[in-house]
Amino acid sequence: MVKDAAMNESVIPPKNIVLIGFMGSGKSTVGRELHHRLGYPLVDMDQVIEQRAGKSIAAIFAEDGEEVFRGIEKNLLEELNDPTAPRRIISTGGGVVGDEQNRKLLRHLGYVVWLNAPIQVILDRTSRNRDRPLLHTADPAARIEALMEIRKPFYQDTAHLKVETSGLDCGELATGILESARYFFTHQL
Ligand code: S3P
């Protein structure tokens, strides 16, 4: 459960930069670039989950199932809602927006940036390795399209900013995100 007191509007909202978006949209790469530019700690949620579990995301899906993974993901997100923590860059897994409570919490955590890319670009990037269990199917392109269809409205509703990533390098993306984030945090009540 999200602790209401920690999301109370009278409390100064956290000023993290939160990256959301589909698998292969560049969250980890852009997250690392923002971390280097700002010096804020980077929390790559999938990496934290793998470190704690002592196994890969693919192994968690295979041995424990997706539901267990989603529970771990949700608990980690709630843990990140810590008002005493320093500002951070938070890079999320592509499916975190599937849960309504997660979506609320993501927006509460700071400035939410949706990194988007065309289906073909996502397919090219994700086909380079086998670490995305949801794409271990006979027709990954169809799976990407189906998941994107379901998730698009969630990304849209959760994000403060949508960024089309294809054609831009991570330096250019980071510069744009930082400018928008500065404006957002300066004008935030
Ligand atoms: C998932 C995306 C993955 C990882 C898991 C599930 C998803 O993260 O959390 O495989 O449901 O889209 P990335 O978006 O970093 O690949």
Side-chain angles (χ1 to χ4, degrees):
M1 279 287 292
V2 176
K3 300 187 188 48
D4 287 342
M7 284 177 65
N8 187 324
E9 281 172 14
S10 65
V11 174
I12 298 170
K15 294 188 174 176
N16 303 294
I17 296 179
V18 183
L19 303 177
I20 63 170
F22 208 81
M23 296 172 258
S25 59
K27 293 165 292 182
S28 299
T29 316
V30 173
R32 278 194 297 276
E33 181 68 22
L34 292 169
H35 159 68
H36 290 309
R37 298 261 189 115
L38 289 170
Y40 295 0
L42 170 66
V43 180
D44 187 317
M45 289 184 64
D46 283 347
Q47 261 180 28
V48 173
I49 291 171
E50 290 187 328
Q51 277 159 8
R52 289 186 183 175
K55 55 187 174 186
S56 67
I57 303 280
I60 299 174
F61 269 68
E63 292 164 22
D64 311 308
E66 179 171 354
E67 217 173 297
V68 168
F69 171 78
R70 295 297 169 203
I72 301 172
E73 185 178 52
K74 190 174 175 65
N75 289 339
L76 174 57
L77 194 62
E78 286 171 6
E79 210 183 290
L80 294 177
N81 187 24
D82 171 3
T84 65
R87 290 181 191 182
R88 292 172 290 203
I89 310 296
I90 299 173
S91 170
T92 62
V96 73
V97 294
D99 177 276
E100 189 187 352
Q101 202 75 36
N102 286 355
R103 295 197 290 276
K104 277 194 198 152
L105 189 44
L106 287 163
R107 265 185 92 87
H108 169 77
L109 281 172
Y111 187 57
V112 184
V113 181
W114 170 19
L115 300 182
N116 193 39
I119 302 281
Q120 190 54 49
V121 172
I122 288 173
L123 185 62
D124 290 347
R125 287 184 188 158
T126 54
S127 62
R128 288 186 210 136
N129 58 49
R130 297 263 313 150
D131 59 8
R132 264 76 174 219
L134 290 177
L135 302 182
H136 295 173
T137 84
D139 189 351
R143 171 60 65 86
I144 291 170
E145 270 182 54
L147 283 174
M148 187 64 109
E149 197 61 27
I150 296 168
R151 292 178 179 174
K152 240 184 184 161
F154 296 149
Y155 294 134
Q156 184 85 52
D157 287 352
T158 311
H160 295 101
L161 174 73
K162 176 184 182 187
V163 178
E164 293 297 339
T165 59
S166 63
L168 295 175
D169 65 32
C170 66
E172 291 165 328
L173 290 166
T175 301
I177 291 168
L178 285 177
E179 278 173 14
S180 311
R182 277 198 190 105
Y183 184 87
F184 175 81
F185 288 129
T186 314
H187 293 82
Q188 198 178 41
L189 291 177

